[in-house]
Amino acid sequence: MKEQIIACAIAVAVASIAQAQYAGPGAQAAPDTVRQVLQTGKDDQAVTLRGHIVESIGDQTYRFADGTGDIVLEIDRERWPEGPVDDKNTVELTGRYDKELIGASKVKVRSLSVVR
């Protein structure tokens, strides 16, 4: 039993380490504009964007614009900051780019904050 617990703990630790990204020489910087994401983004790539949520287009689906283009966001209810957010607020978000071969690509938002 003790061996199983230790094996599980090691597996979790190894999986956590595997999630890290290389940031040294030769590493590509994460895209930080919608244009960069759409032109060079890779599926499941980490992104950080700053701009405006300009429209609600469905259940937990929104349109985001930053002056270089617009993209669809998927934002779970628990990711929203406290207080109202509208199209006039500047927001910063981090998430993962979900590049689709067919249909609209989107960003799955992991964190969202209003820039004051």
Side-chain angles (χ1 to χ4, degrees), residues 47-85:
V47 299
T48 299
L49 300 172
R50 186 179 281 219
H52 303 273
I53 299 172
V54 295
E55 179 183 14
S56 172
I57 55 177
D59 184 44
Q60 300 182 12
T61 308
Y62 302 85
R63 184 160 311 282
F64 174 87
D66 70 351
T68 68
D70 63 279
I71 194 167
V72 173
L73 302 179
E74 183 179 294
I75 308 173
D76 293 335
R77 285 176 179 81
E78 65 270 8
R79 305 287 185 205
W80 284 96
E82 289 193 25
V85 177

Side-chain angles (χ1 to χ4, degrees), residues 25-112:
Q28 290 184 322
D32 62 359
T33 68
V34 171
R35 177 178 289 145
Q36 288 175 337
V37 171
L38 295 174
Q39 288 179 349
T40 63
K42 307 224 180 334
D43 188 44
D44 204 36
Q45 183 175 20
V47 299
T48 299
L49 300 172
R50 186 179 281 219
H52 303 273
I53 299 172
V54 295
E55 179 183 14
S56 172
I57 55 177
D59 184 44
Q60 300 182 12
T61 308
Y62 302 85
R63 184 160 311 282
F64 174 87
D66 70 351
T68 68
D70 63 279
I71 194 167
V72 173
L73 302 179
E74 183 179 294
I75 308 173
D76 293 335
R77 285 176 179 81
E78 65 270 8
R79 305 287 185 205
W80 284 96
E82 289 193 25
V85 177
D86 64 25
D87 61 331
K88 292 170 185 48
N89 295 115
T90 300
V91 298
E92 183 171 276
L93 63 92
T94 59
R96 293 278 178 191
Y97 181 49
D98 186 11
K99 187 172 186 173
E100 299 292 338
L101 296 176
I102 299 174
S105 297
K106 62 187 170 203
V107 172
K108 293 182 179 178
V109 175
R110 300 235 170 126
S111 70
L112 175 70

